[in-house]
Amino acid sequence: MKKYLRIIVILILFLSYFKSFSSPDSLYISICEENSSFCLGYAYYSKTVEHFDSVGNKTEINNYYFSGCERTLDSILAHVADTYYSYDSNNLFIEISTLNYQGPDTNEAKSIYTHNSSGKITSTLNQFGTPGNLINSSCDSIGFDSSENKIFEMFFLWNDTTSSWDTLNLEYNTYDSLNRKIQTDLYNIQQNYEIHHYNIYDNDSNLIYQINSSRSFGVFDSNRVVNLYDSLHYKIELFTQQWDTLQQVWININHQTFNYNSAGLLFTTYFYSCDFDSLCSEIESKSVYTYDSLGRLMERNDSIYQGTRYIWGGYTYTYRNSDDLIFSEGYWEVVEQGCDYSDHFYYTYNNQKQLIYMHRERYTCDAYFTDCYYFSLDNDSMLVRAYYPFNVCQGDTIYPMITVEGGQPPYNYQWFPSGDILDASTGVPRIVADTTKLYLFKVIDSAGLTQIDSLTLHVPCLTTLVDELNSSEYNFNLFPNPFSFETTIKFDERISEVIYVIYDMKGQVVRTNITHGGTIIIKRENLFPGIYFISLFASDKFIGNLKLIVE
């Protein structure tokens, strides 16, 4: 958990007269589950809730976290941090502040920004401490010329002993009459270290030399990059060189060549080593690039030259759908230690082109899987989720993790079947594990808005969920089945309200809803062809289970 918490932004709490900006008109929620061998198959969960105001400015972020690695039966989804954003009358953010609730003490941090008339940030003040006791930490100052080129940046650290600012880094930039950056000078005052970058252009504004010079402890070290172009201004060669102080010459370190297709797109690059060959003819690797019909990069294949042939070294890809949305991306990389590294992302969008699901697969000898679900809520909608991350034993008492966002609090909670649930009418129920069972969770807000979710509690080596669903005292039928567009379920007229849950062959819930009046109409919508199961609940009891076939 500590590793995760280190990546949470540690900035918080803004001044009271900015709090009017934090009244959200919409929410964007992400709920992620990750499984890895590090946790011996147990999952950990995170939830992020982003708030936006009426003009679309992000005003607040709430972070929650639960680690299944802890393997304790009474853990909850803990509120670990909040971040707040403040804006001026021009909608420029002027403060970002975060409260971190982890550890024995609550940490508070704040960054305050100022802008020039063009909206560029000219200074940042960072503070850190405990609530009500913030102290200066660092700050920087940035200057621009009349063309909005950054001409200097100064970074300072706060000295508690002298209660003053100590200069740490200085940066100065110089531009020519064409606003091309020709020189950058960087100084680290405390470490007595400096770096100078020089850019030299030809008459066509092609960058032909990038010269870098550094000094540390009185010793200078210089290197440069030399770029060569063809008549169409495509870069065709690049040399990386080191200055030899003894011979007073530039020595080649490596060499790259670039080749283009008929459309002017980069097709292949070759990398040569110059360590033992002044002509740089020793091939080390090559990359091959592939594009789609619109000229967008899709794939890059990297291979390493060994002996007399190329062997695979890595692969990067980005695939887009007809709406120009990335639906899959990732890369592989050969690692010398023996465990290749790979990272793949798969995305799903709704009809409004909004991201609703992300699946990530990572491999570094061991496998890591992450599933994230994304929800956009306006001010009259509500999200309900109930989950518990790992198997339990018969007789254990567990506390499902509940998330309710949106709607109008206070909320009314209902869990069923409630025979083995304690505190079934609260947001923190206690379930006494008996058999593997499907539970329903219903939330009603103060305006009457109702949402439901389900939770399958797994108790190994006992009666399965399907065994329980086979018995029912009520009559219902499903027609047509299989179906292509929609199907209808007729059930006993004695039942006034029915909650139904649809889950796939893997046991994952794909749809949950509530209906009235003795009829359920199920539209195909996002159901892919295949076999599904639908479970029906009325009042506080299970009433039946049906197999659903989508053509």
Side-chain angles (χ1 to χ4, degrees):
M1 179 181 289
K2 293 181 179 178
K3 179 179 179 182
Y4 173 84
L5 296 173
R6 284 197 296 267
I7 68 174
I8 296 177
V9 180
I10 308 210
L11 304 167
I12 180 135
L13 257 147
F14 52 85
L15 302 176
S16 59
Y17 56 85
F18 289 124
K19 288 188 178 178
S20 60
F21 288 99
S22 67
S23 299
D25 284 74
S26 61
L27 300 175
Y28 185 74
I29 302 163
S30 61
I31 299 176
C32 298
E33 175 186 353
E34 179 160 340
N35 286 274
S36 69
S37 58
F38 176 75
C39 290
L40 303 176
Y42 292 90
Y44 68 74
Y45 293 82
S46 63
K47 180 179 72 169
T48 301
V49 183
E50 300 179 58
H51 304 251
F52 299 85
D53 61 22
S54 58
V55 295
N57 292 322
K58 185 182 298 183
T59 59
E60 182 179 343
I61 300 178
N62 313 122
N63 291 290
Y64 303 83
Y65 180 69
F66 172 84
S67 175
C69 295
E70 305 297 328
R71 291 187 284 279
T72 55
L73 296 178
D74 57 351
S75 298
I76 62 173
L77 196 65
H79 191 175
V80 295
D82 288 316
T83 301
Y84 300 91
Y85 299 80
S86 304
Y87 303 83
D88 62 15
S89 57
N90 296 316
N91 283 326
L92 298 173
F93 68 91
I94 56 178
E95 189 171 302
I96 302 177
S97 47
T98 296
L99 197 63
N100 185 347
Y101 306 112
Q102 290 299 300
D105 299 312
T106 297
N107 295 322
E108 183 179 353
K110 180 186 297 185
S111 293
I112 303 172
Y113 303 87
T114 58
H115 305 76
N116 61 16
S117 57
S118 301
K120 291 183 176 293
I121 296 176
T122 56
S123 69
T124 305
L125 171 63
N126 301 303
Q127 299 176 320
F128 181 80
T130 57
N133 186 29
L134 289 177
I135 60 174
N136 292 328
S137 174
S138 64
C139 71
D140 66 358
S141 177
I142 305 173
F144 301 88
D145 62 17
S146 57
S147 299
E148 295 297 339
N149 298 312
K150 185 174 77 172
I151 56 176
F152 72 84
E153 181 171 2
M154 296 181 287
F155 185 75
F156 307 92
L157 289 177
W158 181 255
N159 189 320
D160 291 329
T161 302
T162 62
S163 296
S164 62
W165 293 105
D166 291 339
T167 304
L168 179 63
N169 292 324
L170 300 175
E171 174 186 336
Y172 299 98
N173 298 305
T174 305
Y175 302 82
D176 62 14
S177 58
L178 298 178
N179 285 323
R180 300 175 302 192
K181 185 184 293 186
I182 58 176
Q183 184 172 338
T184 298
D185 301 297
L186 303 169
Y187 301 92
N188 186 299
I189 305 302
Q190 292 187 353
Q191 298 181 4
N192 193 23
Y193 182 80
E194 60 186 86
I195 302 175
H196 305 277
H197 302 287
Y198 306 93
N199 298 327
I200 300 175
Y201 305 85
D202 62 17
N203 293 332
D204 296 312
S205 291
N206 296 313
L207 180 61
I208 56 176
Y209 291 107
Q210 295 173 288
I211 304 173
N212 308 297
S213 178
S214 63
R215 182 187 63 84
S216 179
F217 301 105
V219 178
F220 275 93
D221 182 34
S222 298
N223 61 76
R224 72 175 183 179
V225 174
V226 181
N227 299 300
L228 303 179
Y229 301 84
D230 63 13
S231 59
L232 297 176
H233 306 296
Y234 294 130
K235 183 191 295 186
I236 55 175
E237 291 188 74
L238 180 153
F239 288 89
T240 301
Q241 301 175 330
Q242 186 76 35
W243 179 252
D244 188 328
T245 56
L246 295 178
Q247 302 183 54
Q248 295 293 295
V249 295
W250 290 103
I251 298 177
N252 291 329
I253 302 300
N254 55 61
H255 176 211
Q256 287 179 269
T257 61
F258 307 86
N259 304 286
Y260 302 85
N261 60 21
S262 58
L265 299 173
L266 186 63
F267 177 59
T268 57
T269 60
Y270 289 86
F271 188 88
Y272 301 84
S273 173
C274 307
D275 292 342
F276 306 102
D277 179 4
S278 60
L279 298 177
C280 300
S281 58
E282 182 181 346
I283 300 176
E284 283 197 357
S285 63
K286 73 173 180 180
S287 297
V288 179
Y289 303 82
T290 305
Y291 303 84
D292 63 16
S293 59
L294 297 179
R296 298 171 303 195
L297 181 64
M298 292 175 51
E299 300 176 0
R300 191 192 77 192
N301 281 280
D302 301 320
S303 54
I304 302 170
Y305 192 77
Q306 288 190 353
T308 59
R309 64 189 180 93
Y310 287 102
I311 63 173
W312 179 74
Y315 176 67
T316 303
Y317 67 95
T318 301
Y319 299 139
R320 299 174 182 269
N321 60 22
S322 57
D323 292 322
D324 198 25
L325 299 172
I326 298 175
F327 68 86
S328 181
E329 61 183 346
Y331 66 96
W332 289 272
E333 179 184 358
V334 173
V335 181
E336 294 182 358
Q337 288 80 356
C339 292
D340 295 348
Y341 180 83
S342 65
D343 203 352
H344 309 277
F345 295 82
Y346 307 91
Y347 308 101
T348 303
Y349 304 85
N350 60 17
N351 293 333
Q352 289 75 45
K353 301 182 181 181
Q354 296 172 318
L355 180 65
I356 58 175
Y357 173 67
M358 184 275 292
H359 175 70
R360 181 183 185 184
E361 299 176 359
R362 291 171 292 156
Y363 297 91
T364 51
C365 294
D366 296 317
Y368 302 81
F369 301 94
T370 302
D371 289 295
C372 291
Y373 298 85
Y374 304 91
F375 309 88
S376 294
L377 301 181
D378 53 28
N379 56 8
D380 60 353
S381 56
M382 183 169 59
L383 170 70
V384 172
R385 281 293 180 270
Y387 39 86
Y388 196 72
F390 46 83
N391 296 334
V392 295
C393 297
Q394 186 178 27
D396 285 341
T397 300
I398 64 120
Y399 299 79
M401 292 179 292
I402 310 302
T403 180
V404 180
E405 301 294 341
Q408 299 182 26
Y411 307 111
N412 175 268
Y413 302 91
Q414 297 179 19
W415 277 86
F416 46 88
S418 61
D420 51 3
I421 298 181
L422 304 176
D423 304 322
S425 61
T426 72
V428 286
R430 293 175 291 162
I431 298 179
V432 180
D434 182 15
T435 61
T436 295
K437 187 176 296 184
L438 179 68
Y439 294 92
L440 269 295
F441 171 55
K442 180 165 66 173
V443 177
I444 305 173
D445 74 354
S446 61
L449 179 63
T450 300
Q451 293 291 347
I452 57 175
D453 193 28
S454 64
L455 167 70
T456 300
L457 179 63
H458 293 283
V459 180
C461 304
L462 294 175
T463 307
T464 64
L465 174 64
V466 175
D467 293 334
E468 179 190 352
L469 298 180
N470 285 333
S471 60
S472 174
E473 61 182 273
Y474 298 95
N475 297 319
F476 49 88
N477 59 76
L478 170 68
F479 183 82
N481 192 30
F483 73 98
S484 299
F485 301 101
E486 68 176 32
T487 187
T488 301
I489 300 177
K490 296 285 188 179
F491 52 86
D492 199 308
E493 294 182 355
R494 294 175 294 168
I495 308 172
S496 60
E497 179 182 273
V498 170
I499 295 175
Y500 66 88
V501 181
I502 301 176
Y503 51 98
D504 59 21
M505 292 292 290
K506 297 180 181 179
Q508 296 177 328
V509 176
V510 296
R511 187 182 303 174
T512 305
N513 211 337
I514 188 169
T515 187
H516 303 80
T519 300
I520 299 175
I521 298 177
I522 299 175
K523 297 183 180 297
R524 177 173 178 173
E525 295 178 345
N526 64 335
L527 298 178
F528 296 101
I531 298 176
Y532 298 84
F533 296 96
I534 181 167
S535 300
L536 307 175
F537 292 82
S539 299
D540 194 23
K541 61 176 64 178
F542 164 76
I543 63 172
N545 184 61
L546 291 171
K547 181 184 292 185
L548 201 64
I549 303 175
V550 179
E551 295 182 320

